[in-house]
DNA sequence: GAATTAATGGAACAAGAGTCCCGTTTGGCG
DNA sequence: CGCCAAACGGGACTCTTGTTCCATTAATTC
């Protein structure tokens, strides 16, 4: 079950351990590309890495553990946001960065694996949150710069904006499972930017554009039943 | 939660078979809520449903198979979009519908399970695409109505708009794994609507607002390989 | 470069998941 | 009502997955 799971060369970072780790992570990634997360097999990974399976179990415990460390590893390699000088350019850089990651065979497989792992393993979920928390916070800076330049309304929530740019891409990757292409990425930027310029990302202000006012307070309750805002509703209960 | 779901396609839709099916799907859902997808155990489901495990294996084969059928079942129960009379109200109804599904213990667990299953099982992936394809197409009609009323620019792509409203919610559910609340839903509507009114969802027109022109092709590079539009999905079946 | 000790590897072992066989039950139909 | 085919159930069986034990290897320390 739960092993020591001492992460990356904690105690003895010496050459052998590091080599084992590298070989295992590499094998894990290759296996993910070929068979996906659910096909990830500890014994198979061990064989591929040329490592005894005892070692794999001892250090990583489960497939989710392997994937979690792989994600941690990738997190360390993520590129910092460039400052292209325009918020448009920066957001596009972000979108294309995500696009590239999603469509890269290795990275795409890894992300999907971690997402899958996170639905069942708390460690993977933490790694995922940590990764995106950091990444989003980092990219949010470009929005702050834009605000400082006067390119965006004061008070714009940078993190929300970055999320808004990325969301449609991941949504397609994971939920609707459509191919995600360059145009999707660019459009996502355009749409988010329009909303941002209109002040829709200003903190604590859900109702920026007068006529588009949100009257909210529909309150949801009843399971999946729809329950909106204005006018008539055909409230229908689906089966809980 | 006694579902009398009878949907078959089976050769013998008679009483016993249907009861077995209902019991198994119910047990599956309960197990998903308690243990998640990766904890889904065929033997456990069989025991809980009071059904021989041979039957489970024979009819559904794998955990992914169980989850896939569960999703198909839920798809049949999804509620149709209301026509609230305003695009704002309709989109909010959609967002709250999604919100309710995500936050419902049973539905939320099921969605996450199917999403996880879809990353490795082609059947689950198909079911997922089918479900959202239908759902989105159905809700897209409210956008068409809005266009007819003059509430939205002519040529607005309804499906894209619906996706834009849902994406941030699923993104939070699956990727950043933050709680998804009412405000998130409402803001998602606001933002999408602003972009829609500005024409950002008009088909084949990625550059509606002049000054917000997209110069694209900046190409990002760094870190994760960037890659124009190569949609490589690596899904693979588990076992027969 | 010898001692010390963490880390690894291999093989046997235990647990469980998935399959198979075959007898029993049930629904459809004349 | 009685027959037949389809579906179910139980239990034995097999193969995969995960664990344990202990000898071996190699990094660190002095």
């Amino acid at each position: 079950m739960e092993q020591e799971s001492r992460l990356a060369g904690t105690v003895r970072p010496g050459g052998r351990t590091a080599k084992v780790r590298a070989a295992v992570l590499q094998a894990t990634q290759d296996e993910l590309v070929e068979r996906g997360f659910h096909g990830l097999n500890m014994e198979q990974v061990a064989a591929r890495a040329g490592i005894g399976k005892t070692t794999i179990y001892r250090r990583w415990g489960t497939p989710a553990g392997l994937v979690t460390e792989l994600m941690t590893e990738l997190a360390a390699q993520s590129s910092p946001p460039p400052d292209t000088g325009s918020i448009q350019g920066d957001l596009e850089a972000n979108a294309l960065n995500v696009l590239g990651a999603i469509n890269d065979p290795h990275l795409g497989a890894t992300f999907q694996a971690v997402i899958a792992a996170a639905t069942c393993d708390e460690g993977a979920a933490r790694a995922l949150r940590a990764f995106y928390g950091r990444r989003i916070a980092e990219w949010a800076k470009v929005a702050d710069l834009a605000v400082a330049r006067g390119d965006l309304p004061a008070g714009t929530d940078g993190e929300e904006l970055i999320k808004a740019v990325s969301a449609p891409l991941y949504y397609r990757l994971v939920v609707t499972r459509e191919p995600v292409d360059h145009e999707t990425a660019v459009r996502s930027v355009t749409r988010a930017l329009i909303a941002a310029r209109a002040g829709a990302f200003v903190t604590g202000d859900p109702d920026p554009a007068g006529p588009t006012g949100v009257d909210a307070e529909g309150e949801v309750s009843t399971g999946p039943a729809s329950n909106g805002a204005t006018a008539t509703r055909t409230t229908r209960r689906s089966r809980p």
Side-chain angles (χ1 to χ4, degrees), chain A:
Chain A
M1 285 306 179
E2 54 247 294
Q3 303 294 344
E4 281 309 305
S5 175
R6 48 199 58 189
L7 284 198
T10 307
V11 180
R12 253 188 204 203
R16 182 169 65 162
T17 296
K19 272 196 167 60
V20 165
R21 186 182 121 100
V24 168
L25 291 187
Q26 183 61 53
T28 299
Q29 190 157 38
D30 292 343
E31 285 289 305
L32 283 182
V33 172
E34 291 177 21
R35 308 191 204 292
F37 176 64
H38 106 295
L40 199 58
N41 180 267
M42 303 294 268
E43 202 152 351
Q44 184 72 20
V45 170
R48 184 164 203 154
I51 299 292
K53 79 168 174 171
T54 308
T55 299
I56 308 271
Y57 277 110
R58 188 161 31 213
R59 286 185 61 179
W60 292 279
T62 64
L66 280 173
V67 164
T68 299
E69 186 153 342
L70 191 54
M71 156 115 297
T72 308
E73 182 65 25
L74 293 180
Q77 300 171 1
S78 83
S79 54
D83 180 3
T84 65
S86 79
I87 182 64
Q88 163 105 18
D90 289 344
L91 291 182
E92 269 172 18
N94 175 59
L96 293 176
N97 196 319
V98 171
L99 176 70
I102 283 178
N103 284 332
D104 176 80
H106 281 205
L107 291 175
T110 303
F111 280 127
Q112 289 205 45
V114 185
I115 288 170
T119 66
C120 66
D121 180 272
E122 191 42 45
R126 264 198 308 275
L128 202 56
R129 267 193 301 268
F131 174 73
Y132 284 104
R134 249 197 40 178
R135 188 184 183 286
I136 291 169
E138 200 155 7
W139 280 83
K141 292 174 192 165
V142 304
D144 299 338
L145 291 176
V147 169
R149 280 195 307 265
D151 279 355
L152 288 178
T156 294
D157 184 332
E159 299 208 349
E160 281 285 294
L161 178 54
I162 295 298
K163 287 182 199 170
V165 169
S166 310
L169 309 187
Y170 283 101
Y171 176 73
R172 280 171 172 76
L173 172 71
V174 168
V175 179
T176 66
R177 304 187 72 82
E178 307 163 76
V180 186
D181 59 14
H182 185 268
E183 190 157 328
T184 307
V186 171
R187 287 186 171 170
S188 180
V189 170
T190 305
R191 289 161 187 168
L193 200 44
I194 289 175
R197 292 213 158 108
F201 287 89
V202 172
T203 312
D205 180 5
D207 183 4
T212 317
V214 171
D215 63 333
E217 289 337 315
E219 209 32 72
V220 67
S221 69
T222 55
S226 57
N227 184 341
T230 344
T232 38
R233 184 79 0 74
T234 325
T235 315
R236 153 141 16 141
R237 234 180 117 61
S238 2
R239 309 259 37 219

